[in-house]
Amino acid sequence: MSYVLIIGAKSDIAKEVARTYAKNGYNLYLAARESSSLEDLKQDIEVRSGVHVELKEFDITAYETHENFYSELGEKPLGAIVVSGYMVEQKLAQKDWNESLQTINVNYTGAVSILNIIANDFERERRGFIVGVSSVAGDRGRKANYIYGSSKAAFTTYLGGLRNRLYESGVNVLTVKPGFVNTKMTENLDLPEKLTAEPQDVANDIYNAQQKGRNVLYTKSIWVLVMLIIKHIPEFMFKKMSI
Amino acid sequence: MSLISWGMYPKIKNQKFSLRDRASLSEYMSNTNECIPFGNGRSYGDSAINEHIVYVKPYNNFLNFDENTGILTCQAGVLLSEILDSFVPRGWFLKVTPGTKLITVGGAIASDVHGKNHHIEGCFSECVEEFSIMLEDGTIKAVKKGDGLFLATCGGMGLTGVILEAKVSLKKINSKFINQTTIKTKNLKETFEAFENNKQLPYSVAWIDCLAKDENIGKCLLMVGDFADDGNLEYKSKKKLSIPFNFPSFALNTLSVKAFNWLYYAKAPDGISKQKVDIDTFFYPLDAIGNWNRIYGKNGFTQYQFILPKENSFEGLQEILGEISASGKGSFLAVLKLYGKENKNYLSFPIEGYSLALDFKIEDGLFELLDKLDEIVVKYSGRIYLTKDVRVSKETFEQGYPQIDKFREFRKENNMDSKFNSLQSKRVEI
């Protein structure tokens, strides 16, 4: 069975995405920094699903290594899923340029760097799929997290363009926009229960949407409505609001 | 976001610590005065509720599986459903499973859950070969069958420490189907006879119509069965419906329960009928509806589950069912089950006899009714299931569990009582 490459495999969402693809018979490349810390997950997936898992050392902000990283994968993957993300508190990002830069580099620049390489290969081979995990935070700039949000907005736009470009070669690109997810990243936030998804549900949604060749996925689906409303509040009102 | 129990009552603010590795748990425990482990929140009452919660579910890696012995080693946050997803297609099933697969392995041990085959296989602890647990001072103990810590922890409601990993033995199956026989009975006497006549079969459970009156008291549908042998193991969890919001509290009343029971019993043909049903239908009918607890409305509900020794079961159940039917407080779910010998664990629920589980929505007058039922349970030397409980008094509880003092002493000796507590443990002082 084919391989799926998961970039940023350490996150809670990535862990469940990996398990979901493995459960459906895909072998996995799990790519992350200090990938040896993923030994437990590798063991877990192999016991659960009996597929083959390879851990790959990968730093999304070390752009110069990306070409090599991809060319050294033994068997080229059938699909690539970018889950990497960096979220810093807005106030800190405003004060500390390095935090802002890290946000942009992980969420946008690094993702573009590796996906450019993968997209060229998939286009040439006329097969494969790409999934990018963006965020509802990219749908509109809000004072509460616009630095993170703008990096995701850029990523969303990139994925849209990529989808447009790759359509002809039969490569589907899925943009995933999770809302609140109950993960390590959000552990200390007080999230509204009805709008908060579990990582397993997000992973299932991603798998189903990707298999069906969908373009954009909001998860939970209630976020379609929430963001529809938020996007349509006129700017002269929106700027006075705190949401 | 506060974690609440399946009964959605009581709701209190709590802070959770998500368990991901041993080192941070040990650090967390040394900085926390009091906490209680929490799995997937399927205990009905307050047994996993406190202001500080160790949320074990994220700790859920499979570690090893031995194809020869069928022993799975996994972390405590693994759900039973995950075990089934992986192992039913390979021909393995849980030796003991409760009526939901959406509980963690750690929770199954702490509640020492039982299934439709208790009269043959006993409790979940029977298939636990060993486990490891973090104690109040951060040390980790490997616990084997028969150890004092094993007897206290299995059924110990998380009050001895945080279970980390367990070795669970699975059983071989050769089909995802169960050959089920449904027997329709007219009253409690017939129900008991049907149970006794079928007790050689591994699985049995009865749905009681608890609003039936007088000579119809105890009328039921008894389902018995065993795995088929057709080699079909293509198991995939079914897609589930979900109840999207809490139903208004008037939605569930005597009339709607009557209507439900009428439909349910009318659906089954008279006498004895045979069906071939899959694992999910037979073992986990309610899991097919996500958040089914919401049908009871936002005030929540509770499950009242008690067990009576065999020699008192008939009389006791007659009396209790009579009391419920007279009160008019209904329950969609009234599940009657036959149990085999009790084990040696200090607080495990099952004893040899019959147990009845009933759901009630929380409303005025309910706790008074349940207090009355408690008196009958005590009168017939029965006991209440802590995993389902949210209101039992210390006195009622104590009378049902003769080993309670042993458990209390064990907790005290090992300083567990200062660190691990739930609302329930404080209420019944264990």
Side-chain angles (χ1 to χ4, degrees):
Chain A
M1 193 73 171
S2 326
Y3 277 84
V4 168
L5 166 64
I6 298 179
I7 306 254
K10 269 192 213 161
S11 77
D12 287 353
I13 292 178
K15 173 170 145 184
E16 294 304 331
V17 167
R19 284 174 172 170
T20 305
Y21 275 84
K23 188 166 130 185
N24 287 287
Y26 290 92
N27 294 318
L28 299 172
Y29 295 123
L30 301 182
R33 275 190 310 158
E34 293 157 17
S35 58
S36 59
S37 68
L38 288 168
E39 280 296 342
D40 281 357
L41 181 62
K42 171 179 154 76
Q43 179 76 4
D44 167 73
I45 291 173
E46 288 178 344
V47 174
R48 263 178 209 255
S49 306
V51 301
H52 189 61
V53 181
E54 283 183 40
L55 302 182
K56 298 286 174 191
E57 196 56 31
F58 179 77
D59 180 348
I60 200 163
T61 59
Y63 320 120
E64 67 286 356
T65 64
H66 291 183
E67 198 73 63
N68 244 344
F69 163 81
Y70 191 73
S71 67
E72 280 174 8
L73 293 179
E75 187 184 320
K76 293 291 172 272
L78 177 68
I81 305 174
V82 178
V83 197
S84 310
Y86 185 77
M87 185 161 76
V88 62
E89 206 197 319
Q90 171 68 24
K91 292 231 169 73
L92 189 59
Q94 281 166 214
K95 272 189 247 145
D96 184 342
W97 169 243
N98 285 327
E99 289 294 335
S100 283
L101 195 61
Q102 181 73 358
T103 306
I104 297 161
N105 284 346
V106 173
N107 295 345
Y108 181 61
T109 322
V112 171
S113 163
I114 184 66
L115 280 180
N116 276 353
I117 296 162
I118 294 171
N120 291 342
D121 179 48
F122 283 8
E123 189 178 41
R124 206 167 35 241
E125 300 292 325
R126 303 187 69 80
R127 60 146 187 82
F129 64 84
I130 289 169
V131 178
V133 177
S134 187
S135 169
V136 295
D139 281 9
R140 188 159 195 181
R142 298 180 302 119
K143 71 175 173 189
N145 70 345
Y146 66 86
I147 291 179
Y148 173 79
S150 60
S151 70
K152 288 295 193 180
F155 188 38
T156 297
T157 305
Y158 172 81
L159 291 168
L162 195 62
R163 171 162 47 248
N164 198 188
R165 166 190 156 197
L166 294 178
Y167 174 72
E168 270 195 11
S169 41
V171 178
N172 194 65
V173 178
L174 169 66
T175 308
V176 183
K177 296 182 182 178
F180 302 135
V181 187
N182 205 353
T183 64
K184 236 182 292 185
M185 206 192 238
T186 59
E187 184 102 313
N188 298 313
L189 306 178
D190 199 16
L191 302 177
E193 192 190 339
K194 294 242 157 70
L195 290 176
T196 305
E198 289 299 318
Q200 297 92 316
D201 298 329
V202 173
N204 275 330
D205 286 353
I206 289 175
Y207 179 78
N208 292 330
Q210 180 272 313
Q211 292 287 311
K212 284 182 193 147
R214 285 184 52 190
N215 302 318
V216 179
L217 166 73
Y218 281 86
T219 176
K220 302 177 154 194
S221 55
I222 178 84
W223 282 97
V224 180
L225 190 63
V226 174
M227 294 320 295
L228 189 75
I229 295 166
I230 290 181
K231 276 193 288 191
H232 284 85
I233 300 171
E235 196 64 29
F236 76 88
M237 279 168 72
F238 194 78
K239 70 180 183 189
K240 298 176 193 160
M241 296 168 72
S242 290
I243 58 173
Chain B
M1 199 164 68
S2 286
L3 292 170
I4 54 170
S5 72
W6 189 238
M8 304 193 291
Y9 173 91
K11 287 180 177 129
I12 66 160
K13 271 241 166 278
N14 51 52
Q15 287 182 321
K16 75 171 182 193
F17 163 81
S18 291
L19 174 57
R20 290 197 162 83
D21 60 83
R22 293 161 165 224
S24 54
L25 175 63
S26 153
E27 192 192 320
Y28 169 81
M29 295 227 290
S30 63
N31 295 323
T32 308
N33 288 331
E34 191 180 272
C35 60
I36 190 78
F38 184 104
N40 196 33
R42 291 285 165 147
S43 286
Y44 285 72
D46 52 0
S47 57
I49 300 293
N50 198 347
E51 281 164 20
H52 296 276
I53 278 171
V54 177
Y55 184 48
V56 179
K57 198 178 151 202
Y59 195 64
N60 66 353
N61 283 323
F62 284 37
L63 303 173
N64 186 44
F65 182 67
D66 185 331
E67 293 277 353
N68 298 317
T69 57
I71 292 177
L72 169 69
T73 310
C74 64
Q75 293 175 339
V78 164
L79 296 178
L80 301 188
S81 62
E82 298 178 75
I83 297 179
L84 300 185
D85 283 346
S86 289
F87 289 102
V88 171
R90 292 185 242 176
W92 299 91
F93 189 67
L94 297 159
K95 268 190 183 161
V96 171
T97 174
T100 172
K101 56 182 173 173
L102 301 175
I103 64 165
T104 59
V105 167
I109 295 172
S111 284
D112 201 11
V113 296
H114 53 269
K116 296 174 169 61
N117 58 350
H118 184 273
H119 60 292
I120 308 244
E121 296 279 4
C123 289
F124 194 81
S125 53
E126 294 295 325
C127 54
V128 177
E129 302 303 315
E130 59 179 86
F131 60 82
S132 59
I133 186 168
M134 190 178 286
L135 303 175
E136 50 81 35
D137 60 356
T139 56
I140 295 170
K141 276 250 158 73
V143 185
K144 292 224 159 51
K145 259 197 167 74
D147 293 354
L149 197 47
F150 190 94
L151 300 177
T153 302
C154 297
M157 307 312 290
L159 297 168
T160 56
V162 182
I163 299 166
L164 296 172
E165 285 98 25
K167 284 186 196 286
V168 179
S169 66
L170 305 181
K171 72 174 209 175
K172 259 291 178 220
I173 52 169
N174 192 31
S175 175
K176 64 167 182 176
F177 291 111
I178 316 294
N179 288 323
Q180 170 182 287
T181 304
T182 305
I183 303 156
K184 202 170 182 176
T185 69
K186 292 201 185 68
N187 54 39
L188 196 60
K189 187 164 167 285
E190 276 190 29
T191 302
F192 270 52
E193 280 166 13
F195 262 115
E196 293 296 331
N197 292 339
N198 286 285
K199 70 178 176 198
Q200 76 289 356
L201 282 166
Y203 300 107
S204 61
V205 65
W207 286 54
I208 293 254
D209 178 352
C210 60
L211 291 181
K213 284 192 191 299
D214 306 325
E215 69 275 15
N216 291 326
I217 281 182
K219 87 175 201 198
C220 87
L221 295 180
L222 173 67
M223 273 84 77
V224 297
D226 195 3
F227 276 94
D229 187 20
D230 58 13
N232 183 347
L233 292 163
E234 284 168 36
Y235 172 78
K236 266 216 158 141
S237 286
K238 288 210 179 91
K239 264 210 164 142
K240 57 183 187 188
L241 293 165
S242 197
I243 308 278
F245 50 79
N246 293 320
F247 280 16
S249 58
F250 59 80
L252 202 74
N253 53 35
T254 314
L255 265 181
S256 59
V257 174
K258 262 194 185 142
F260 173 83
N261 282 350
W262 187 82
L263 280 170
Y264 194 79
Y265 286 89
K267 211 179 73 176
D270 277 329
I272 296 176
S273 56
K274 290 192 186 297
Q275 304 87 18
K276 195 171 180 179
V277 296
D278 63 19
I279 284 172
D280 285 349
T281 309
F282 187 79
F283 290 102
Y284 315 112
L286 281 169
D287 286 346
I289 308 166
N291 303 114
W292 62 262
N293 51 345
R294 290 179 178 163
I295 65 173
Y296 290 93
K298 67 174 175 359
N299 293 337
F301 75 114
T302 188
Q303 191 169 80
Y304 186 74
Q305 182 165 8
F306 62 91
I307 188 162
L308 301 176
K310 209 160 188 179
E311 61 275 16
N312 297 345
S313 289
F314 186 79
E315 240 182 318
L317 278 164
Q318 280 279 16
E319 199 169 328
I320 286 176
L321 286 167
E323 194 72 52
I324 294 167
S325 145
S327 79
K329 289 196 191 303
S331 171
F332 277 117
L333 241 192
V335 175
L336 182 69
K337 247 184 334 219
L338 171 66
Y339 290 69
K341 294 249 174 307
E342 71 176 297
N343 61 29
K344 294 198 171 98
N345 304 333
Y346 300 154
L347 292 189
S348 281
F349 167 70
I351 52 177
E352 189 164 13
Y354 284 88
S355 97
L356 185 67
L358 305 143
D359 286 353
F360 293 100
K361 71 173 168 176
I362 307 276
E363 60 181 344
D364 288 346
L366 173 68
F367 285 3
E368 288 81 349
L369 170 67
L370 298 184
D371 287 343
K372 253 196 229 170
L373 301 188
D374 278 352
E375 284 173 26
I376 308 173
V377 170
V378 168
K379 184 169 92 184
Y380 289 102
S381 315
R383 56 167 69 158
I384 305 285
Y385 192 8
L386 287 175
T387 305
K388 310 287 181 77
D389 161 67
V390 73
R391 33 70 50 196
V392 75
S393 73
K394 178 181 172 231
E395 293 70 30
T396 301
F397 167 75
E398 278 175 344
Q399 295 188 55
Y401 288 83
Q403 296 204 78
I404 179 60
D405 286 332
K406 226 187 241 178
F407 185 75
R408 283 180 177 139
E409 274 159 35
F410 188 87
R411 290 236 301 152
K412 197 165 231 149
E413 271 168 25
N414 295 286
N415 295 321
M416 294 160 176
D417 57 345
S418 58
K419 182 70 84 182
F420 302 106
N421 271 304
S422 60
L423 295 184
Q424 182 179 62
S425 77
K426 289 177 185 167
R427 174 162 42 84
V428 297
E429 293 177 31
I430 51 177

